[in-house]
Amino acid sequence: CLAMRPPCEIIVRYVLPALRSLIARELIENYGFSQVVAAKKLGITQAAISYYLYSKRGEKYLKNIESISEVRKIIKDIADEIANERLSPKDVISRFCGLCSRLRAEHLICTPS
């Protein structure tokens, strides 16, 4: 980890894009959402979804995040709740914050090499 970087900076730069990428993929591949609908549900633009799908955003941390089985389960749960209209974009943000807090508490947040 870079000692001088606050965890929130690492989260915004690496973790959040990886989480969004995983959820977008889940919504599109497993629930048949279009990029536009997935973007609306996540509170981001369709262009961001396109970048996530083609690994132009979030790719540096994506493999690290995907390797954590607990995170994969949470991602699937969030996507399911979005697909079944049990989470609003505001609720999604709250879930991201909770997941990031867990990752920080378990010291799983580091700058990718």
Side-chain angles (χ1 to χ4, degrees):
C1 290
L2 291 178
M4 298 307 289
R5 293 226 173 151
C8 290
E9 180 181 341
I10 294 166
I11 287 168
V12 168
R13 188 168 187 174
Y14 301 105
V15 178
L16 188 56
L19 295 175
R20 285 179 173 158
S21 177
L22 292 170
I23 290 174
R25 286 181 187 171
E26 188 77 18
L27 291 172
I28 291 166
E29 293 172 4
N30 297 324
Y31 292 94
F33 280 39
S34 68
Q35 289 185 20
V36 172
V37 173
K40 184 176 179 182
K41 295 290 187 177
L42 291 173
I44 58 178
T45 66
Q46 179 275 324
I49 293 286
S50 180
Y51 283 119
Y52 293 145
L53 292 176
Y54 297 103
S55 297
K56 293 180 182 175
R57 286 190 185 166
E59 65 186 323
K60 291 181 179 181
Y61 226 79
L62 191 58
K63 289 187 170 115
N64 291 346
I65 295 294
E66 281 182 310
S67 70
I68 304 168
S69 62
E70 182 179 346
V71 172
R72 283 194 317 266
K73 182 189 179 322
I74 292 169
I75 293 298
K76 287 183 182 289
D77 290 346
I78 291 171
D80 184 67
E81 291 181 80
I82 290 170
N84 291 296
E85 299 188 13
R86 293 190 303 261
L87 285 182
S88 69
K90 185 177 178 179
D91 295 329
V92 172
I93 292 168
S94 178
R95 294 290 295 273
F96 281 151
C97 289
L99 181 53
C100 288
S101 293
R102 283 177 90 172
L103 292 170
R104 286 181 59 201
E106 295 175 22
H107 305 287
L108 297 172
I109 302 295
C110 288
T111 302
S113 49

